[in-house]
Structure formats: structure tokens, C-alpha cells
Amino acid sequence: MKRVFAVLFLAAVCAGCEKSGRIYRIGDIYSENGKQGIVFYVTDEGRHGKIVSLDETRCVWQSNFDYPDPETYDYLDGMKNMKAVRYQPDWHDRFPAFAWCADKGDGWYLPAETELLNLYVAHIFEYDEEHWCWSSTSNRYLGDSMLDTNRALLVDIWYCYVGSAVKYRDEYYVRAIAKF
């Protein structure tokens, strides 16, 4: 009888663990609810955080210089920038970097500049050279005060450099991130 009670008690405790979620650390592989990635940022004692996609691609940020500025100026939250792009007509065809991330499924997006810097801090990737990734953050200014809507920020996630490039001319790496 004690043995049956102990088994039932352990089953109840384990069920409680599933409801509270697994505890993750930076570098862990995340695979839940159809999302897979590497944990690079944690909050709430490892119960929540952000993952980065296991794969990457190279593409332009947007496909043509003729498009109006989608006003993706958030440096902290790429999901806000993703929402701004999704308001654009035919956004999926016009913004390849964003589309590639969105095609991974619900909740995936192109990271903002600070999120890419957090990816550098986590140091979960090993490269033997510069590895420039597009951020979802448009470069707001060229020089002192001129608005430059043709450029977006890049982050080298190996050496921690920040730069910018022409959105429709240059191909750089794209990695998607998602929150958990």
C-alpha cells in the first residue's frame, strides 16, 4: 500500500513539474510545442526566455528600394518590428529576411539589434570569422541627423560588432528567434 501511494505521489509531483515547465539554461536545446532551438536568454529562473533557430539562411532584408519605410526602429524587441513589417502590403514577398523567420511558424521573428547582442553574449555559436546577421532594426540615422530608411543594423555575433548595410542590396545571415 505504501509503495502504491509513493508511486501515485511521484506521478502527481511530476505532473506538477510539467505544468510549471522545464528549467532551461543558456545553451540548452529547446524542443516543445513544435519549436526547436538553442536557448540563449533566460528569465524567471529559466522557465521563460528566448531561443534561436538551429539553422540560418542568407538573404537581403528587403527585396527592392522602392518600398516605403516600415518604421522598424525598435532596438529591443524584434517582435514589434515584425508586426510593423506585417502591416505592409505583400510583406512576405517584399521582406525576405522577415518572411524566412515567419515561415518557421508561430512566434518566430527577426531579432532586434539588442537581441542579437544577447546572442553574442550567450556565445553559443563557434565561428572562425566574422558572422554578420541582419537585425530587424532599421538604421534610423546617417550621420548627425539625416533619416536613412535604406539601411538596417547588422550585428557580428562572433566579434560583437554593430554596423549597417543597405537593406535591398546586401545579403547577410538571418537567424530567427522565438520566446518561450
Side-chain angles (χ1 to χ4, degrees), residues 32-67:
E32 291 186 29
N33 304 319
K35 286 184 184 170
Q36 291 185 328
I38 303 171
V39 176
F40 74 95
Y41 183 81
V42 292
T43 61
D44 194 26
E45 298 177 353
R47 288 184 184 85
H48 300 285
K50 295 178 184 177
I51 58 173
V52 62
S53 60
L54 298 173
D55 59 344
E56 63 185 8
T57 193
R58 283 181 65 97
C59 65
V60 294
W61 196 92
Q62 74 183 39
S63 59
N64 192 319
F65 72 94
D66 253 349
Y67 303 139

Short mmCIF file of all heavy atoms in Angstrom, two decimals, residues 32-67:
data_model
loop_
_atom_site.label_atom_id
_atom_site.label_comp_id
_atom_site.label_asym_id
_atom_site.label_seq_id
_atom_site.Cartn_x
_atom_site.Cartn_y
_atom_site.Cartn_z
N GLU A 32 9.84 22.08 -27.63
CA GLU A 32 8.49 21.98 -27.07
C GLU A 32 7.50 22.65 -28.00
O GLU A 32 7.84 23.62 -28.68
CB GLU A 32 8.42 22.67 -25.70
CG GLU A 32 9.20 21.97 -24.61
CD GLU A 32 8.98 22.60 -23.24
OE1 GLU A 32 7.90 23.18 -23.01
OE2 GLU A 32 9.90 22.53 -22.42
N ASN A 33 6.30 22.12 -28.01
CA ASN A 33 5.19 22.71 -28.78
C ASN A 33 5.57 22.98 -30.24
O ASN A 33 5.17 23.98 -30.82
CB ASN A 33 4.72 24.01 -28.12
CG ASN A 33 4.32 23.81 -26.67
OD1 ASN A 33 3.69 22.81 -26.34
ND2 ASN A 33 4.70 24.73 -25.83
N GLY A 34 6.34 22.10 -30.82
CA GLY A 34 6.71 22.23 -32.23
C GLY A 34 7.84 23.21 -32.50
O GLY A 34 8.21 23.41 -33.66
N LYS A 35 8.39 23.83 -31.49
CA LYS A 35 9.51 24.77 -31.66
C LYS A 35 10.79 24.10 -31.21
O LYS A 35 10.83 23.47 -30.16
CB LYS A 35 9.30 26.04 -30.83
CG LYS A 35 8.28 26.97 -31.37
CD LYS A 35 8.22 28.24 -30.54
CE LYS A 35 7.11 29.12 -31.06
NZ LYS A 35 6.84 30.23 -30.19
N GLN A 36 11.83 24.28 -32.01
CA GLN A 36 13.15 23.78 -31.65
C GLN A 36 14.17 24.88 -31.84
O GLN A 36 14.14 25.60 -32.84
CB GLN A 36 13.54 22.58 -32.52
CG GLN A 36 12.72 21.35 -32.25
CD GLN A 36 13.24 20.17 -33.06
OE1 GLN A 36 13.74 20.34 -34.16
NE2 GLN A 36 13.13 18.99 -32.50
N GLY A 37 15.06 24.99 -30.88
CA GLY A 37 16.12 25.98 -30.98
C GLY A 37 17.09 25.84 -29.82
O GLY A 37 16.98 24.92 -29.00
N ILE A 38 18.02 26.76 -29.77
CA ILE A 38 19.01 26.79 -28.69
C ILE A 38 18.67 27.96 -27.78
O ILE A 38 18.49 29.09 -28.24
CB ILE A 38 20.44 26.94 -29.25
CG1 ILE A 38 20.75 25.81 -30.23
CG2 ILE A 38 21.46 26.97 -28.11
CD1 ILE A 38 22.05 26.00 -30.98
N VAL A 39 18.61 27.69 -26.49
CA VAL A 39 18.31 28.74 -25.51
C VAL A 39 19.51 29.68 -25.44
O VAL A 39 20.64 29.25 -25.24
CB VAL A 39 18.02 28.13 -24.13
CG1 VAL A 39 17.81 29.22 -23.09
CG2 VAL A 39 16.82 27.19 -24.19
N PHE A 40 19.23 30.99 -25.60
CA PHE A 40 20.32 31.97 -25.50
C PHE A 40 20.02 33.07 -24.49
O PHE A 40 20.88 33.89 -24.20
CB PHE A 40 20.65 32.59 -26.86
CG PHE A 40 19.65 33.58 -27.38
CD1 PHE A 40 19.83 34.94 -27.18
CD2 PHE A 40 18.53 33.15 -28.08
CE1 PHE A 40 18.91 35.86 -27.66
CE2 PHE A 40 17.62 34.06 -28.58
CZ PHE A 40 17.81 35.42 -28.36
N TYR A 41 18.83 33.05 -23.93
CA TYR A 41 18.43 34.08 -22.97
C TYR A 41 17.36 33.48 -22.07
O TYR A 41 16.43 32.85 -22.57
CB TYR A 41 17.88 35.29 -23.73
CG TYR A 41 17.51 36.47 -22.87
CD1 TYR A 41 18.47 37.36 -22.43
CD2 TYR A 41 16.19 36.70 -22.50
CE1 TYR A 41 18.13 38.46 -21.65
CE2 TYR A 41 15.84 37.79 -21.73
CZ TYR A 41 16.82 38.67 -21.29
OH TYR A 41 16.48 39.75 -20.52
N VAL A 42 17.51 33.64 -20.75
CA VAL A 42 16.52 33.08 -19.83
C VAL A 42 16.05 34.15 -18.84
O VAL A 42 16.77 35.08 -18.50
CB VAL A 42 17.06 31.86 -19.04
CG1 VAL A 42 17.29 30.68 -19.97
CG2 VAL A 42 18.32 32.20 -18.27
N THR A 43 14.78 33.99 -18.43
CA THR A 43 14.18 34.82 -17.40
C THR A 43 13.40 33.90 -16.48
O THR A 43 13.27 32.70 -16.75
CB THR A 43 13.21 35.87 -18.00
OG1 THR A 43 12.15 35.19 -18.68
CG2 THR A 43 13.93 36.81 -18.95
N ASP A 44 12.86 34.45 -15.41
CA ASP A 44 12.00 33.70 -14.49
C ASP A 44 12.67 32.39 -14.07
O ASP A 44 12.06 31.32 -14.14
CB ASP A 44 10.64 33.45 -15.14
CG ASP A 44 9.59 32.98 -14.16
OD1 ASP A 44 9.71 33.29 -12.96
OD2 ASP A 44 8.64 32.27 -14.58
N GLU A 45 13.94 32.49 -13.68
CA GLU A 45 14.72 31.35 -13.21
C GLU A 45 14.77 30.21 -14.21
O GLU A 45 14.77 29.03 -13.86
CB GLU A 45 14.20 30.86 -11.86
CG GLU A 45 14.31 31.90 -10.76
CD GLU A 45 13.71 31.46 -9.44
OE1 GLU A 45 13.08 30.39 -9.39
OE2 GLU A 45 13.91 32.20 -8.47
N GLY A 46 14.79 30.53 -15.50
CA GLY A 46 14.92 29.53 -16.54
C GLY A 46 13.61 28.96 -17.06
O GLY A 46 13.62 28.09 -17.93
N ARG A 47 12.50 29.45 -16.57
CA ARG A 47 11.20 28.95 -17.05
C ARG A 47 10.78 29.62 -18.35
O ARG A 47 9.95 29.09 -19.08
CB ARG A 47 10.13 29.15 -15.99
CG ARG A 47 10.28 28.22 -14.81
CD ARG A 47 9.14 28.38 -13.82
NE ARG A 47 9.35 27.54 -12.66
CZ ARG A 47 10.08 27.89 -11.61
NH1 ARG A 47 10.66 29.07 -11.57
NH2 ARG A 47 10.24 27.06 -10.61
N HIS A 48 11.30 30.79 -18.61
CA HIS A 48 10.99 31.53 -19.83
C HIS A 48 12.28 32.08 -20.41
O HIS A 48 13.31 32.13 -19.74
CB HIS A 48 10.03 32.69 -19.54
CG HIS A 48 8.73 32.24 -18.97
ND1 HIS A 48 7.75 31.65 -19.73
CD2 HIS A 48 8.25 32.29 -17.71
CE1 HIS A 48 6.71 31.35 -18.96
NE2 HIS A 48 7.00 31.72 -17.72
N GLY A 49 12.21 32.50 -21.64
CA GLY A 49 13.38 33.08 -22.28
C GLY A 49 13.22 33.13 -23.77
O GLY A 49 12.10 33.23 -24.29
N LYS A 50 14.35 33.05 -24.47
CA LYS A 50 14.35 33.13 -25.93
C LYS A 50 15.24 32.03 -26.50
O LYS A 50 16.27 31.68 -25.91
CB LYS A 50 14.85 34.50 -26.39
CG LYS A 50 13.93 35.63 -25.99
CD LYS A 50 14.46 36.97 -26.40
CE LYS A 50 13.55 38.08 -25.88
NZ LYS A 50 14.07 39.41 -26.22
N ILE A 51 14.82 31.54 -27.65
CA ILE A 51 15.61 30.53 -28.38
C ILE A 51 15.96 31.09 -29.75
O ILE A 51 15.28 31.96 -30.28
CB ILE A 51 14.84 29.20 -28.53
CG1 ILE A 51 13.52 29.40 -29.27
CG2 ILE A 51 14.63 28.55 -27.17
CD1 ILE A 51 12.79 28.11 -29.62
N VAL A 52 17.03 30.56 -30.31
CA VAL A 52 17.46 30.92 -31.65
C VAL A 52 17.33 29.67 -32.52
O VAL A 52 17.54 28.55 -32.04
CB VAL A 52 18.90 31.48 -31.65
CG1 VAL A 52 19.90 30.45 -31.15
CG2 VAL A 52 19.29 32.01 -33.03
N SER A 53 17.00 29.87 -33.78
CA SER A 53 16.81 28.75 -34.70
C SER A 53 18.10 27.93 -34.84
O SER A 53 19.20 28.45 -34.71
CB SER A 53 16.35 29.26 -36.06
OG SER A 53 17.30 30.14 -36.62
N LEU A 54 17.91 26.66 -35.14
CA LEU A 54 19.05 25.78 -35.34
C LEU A 54 19.71 26.01 -36.70
O LEU A 54 20.87 25.66 -36.88
CB LEU A 54 18.60 24.32 -35.24
CG LEU A 54 18.01 23.91 -33.88
CD1 LEU A 54 17.46 22.49 -33.95
CD2 LEU A 54 19.05 24.03 -32.79
N ASP A 55 18.97 26.59 -37.61
CA ASP A 55 19.50 26.85 -38.94
C ASP A 55 19.52 28.34 -39.23
O ASP A 55 19.05 29.16 -38.45
CB ASP A 55 18.67 26.11 -40.00
CG ASP A 55 17.20 26.53 -40.00
OD1 ASP A 55 16.75 27.14 -39.01
OD2 ASP A 55 16.50 26.24 -40.98
N GLU A 56 20.10 28.70 -40.35
CA GLU A 56 20.17 30.09 -40.78
C GLU A 56 20.14 30.12 -42.30
O GLU A 56 20.28 29.09 -42.97
CB GLU A 56 21.43 30.77 -40.26
CG GLU A 56 22.71 30.17 -40.75
CD GLU A 56 23.95 30.80 -40.12
OE1 GLU A 56 23.84 31.61 -39.18
OE2 GLU A 56 25.04 30.47 -40.60
N THR A 57 19.96 31.29 -42.84
CA THR A 57 19.99 31.49 -44.28
C THR A 57 20.72 32.79 -44.56
O THR A 57 21.10 33.49 -43.63
CB THR A 57 18.55 31.52 -44.88
OG1 THR A 57 18.64 31.41 -46.30
CG2 THR A 57 17.80 32.78 -44.48
N ARG A 58 20.93 33.08 -45.82
CA ARG A 58 21.48 34.37 -46.26
C ARG A 58 20.50 34.97 -47.24
O ARG A 58 20.05 34.30 -48.16
CB ARG A 58 22.83 34.20 -46.94
CG ARG A 58 23.96 33.96 -45.96
CD ARG A 58 25.29 33.82 -46.70
NE ARG A 58 25.70 35.04 -47.37
CZ ARG A 58 26.54 35.94 -46.87
NH1 ARG A 58 27.07 35.73 -45.68
NH2 ARG A 58 26.88 37.02 -47.55
N CYS A 59 20.17 36.23 -47.03
CA CYS A 59 19.26 36.91 -47.94
C CYS A 59 19.34 38.42 -47.70
O CYS A 59 20.03 38.87 -46.79
CB CYS A 59 17.82 36.42 -47.78
SG CYS A 59 17.06 36.76 -46.19
N VAL A 60 18.62 39.17 -48.52
CA VAL A 60 18.51 40.60 -48.31
C VAL A 60 17.44 40.88 -47.27
O VAL A 60 16.58 40.03 -47.01
CB VAL A 60 18.19 41.35 -49.63
CG1 VAL A 60 19.34 41.25 -50.61
CG2 VAL A 60 16.89 40.86 -50.24
N TRP A 61 17.47 42.03 -46.69
CA TRP A 61 16.49 42.46 -45.69
C TRP A 61 15.16 42.74 -46.37
O TRP A 61 14.11 42.32 -45.91
CB TRP A 61 17.03 43.69 -44.99
CG TRP A 61 16.41 44.10 -43.70
CD1 TRP A 61 16.84 43.71 -42.45
CD2 TRP A 61 15.33 45.01 -43.49
NE1 TRP A 61 16.08 44.33 -41.49
CE2 TRP A 61 15.14 45.14 -42.10
CE3 TRP A 61 14.51 45.73 -44.34
CZ2 TRP A 61 14.16 45.95 -41.54
CZ3 TRP A 61 13.52 46.54 -43.79
CH2 TRP A 61 13.36 46.64 -42.40
N GLN A 62 15.20 43.51 -47.48
CA GLN A 62 14.01 43.75 -48.29
C GLN A 62 14.41 43.61 -49.75
O GLN A 62 15.58 43.74 -50.10
CB GLN A 62 13.36 45.09 -48.01
CG GLN A 62 14.08 46.30 -48.55
CD GLN A 62 13.39 47.61 -48.16
OE1 GLN A 62 12.91 47.74 -47.04
NE2 GLN A 62 13.38 48.56 -49.07
N SER A 63 13.45 43.34 -50.61
CA SER A 63 13.78 42.96 -51.98
C SER A 63 13.93 44.12 -52.96
O SER A 63 14.42 43.93 -54.06
CB SER A 63 12.74 41.98 -52.52
OG SER A 63 11.45 42.57 -52.49
N ASN A 64 13.53 45.34 -52.58
CA ASN A 64 13.59 46.46 -53.52
C ASN A 64 13.69 47.76 -52.75
O ASN A 64 13.15 47.90 -51.66
CB ASN A 64 12.31 46.44 -54.36
CG ASN A 64 12.37 47.34 -55.55
OD1 ASN A 64 12.88 48.47 -55.47
ND2 ASN A 64 11.84 46.87 -56.67
N PHE A 65 14.34 48.75 -53.33
CA PHE A 65 14.49 50.04 -52.66
C PHE A 65 13.24 50.91 -52.73
O PHE A 65 13.14 51.91 -52.05
CB PHE A 65 15.68 50.81 -53.24
CG PHE A 65 15.43 51.35 -54.62
CD1 PHE A 65 14.96 52.65 -54.78
CD2 PHE A 65 15.66 50.57 -55.74
CE1 PHE A 65 14.72 53.15 -56.05
CE2 PHE A 65 15.43 51.08 -57.01
CZ PHE A 65 14.95 52.36 -57.16
N ASP A 66 12.28 50.53 -53.53
CA ASP A 66 11.09 51.34 -53.77
C ASP A 66 10.05 51.32 -52.65
O ASP A 66 9.09 52.06 -52.70
CB ASP A 66 10.39 50.86 -55.04
CG ASP A 66 10.59 51.83 -56.17
OD1 ASP A 66 11.08 52.93 -55.93
OD2 ASP A 66 10.25 51.45 -57.30
N TYR A 67 10.20 50.47 -51.69
CA TYR A 67 9.16 50.30 -50.68
C TYR A 67 9.19 51.41 -49.64
O TYR A 67 10.25 51.92 -49.29
CB TYR A 67 9.31 48.96 -49.96
CG TYR A 67 9.29 47.80 -50.90
CD1 TYR A 67 10.15 46.74 -50.74
CD2 TYR A 67 8.39 47.76 -51.96
CE1 TYR A 67 10.14 45.67 -51.61
CE2 TYR A 67 8.37 46.68 -52.83
CZ TYR A 67 9.24 45.65 -52.65
OH TYR A 67 9.22 44.59 -53.50
#
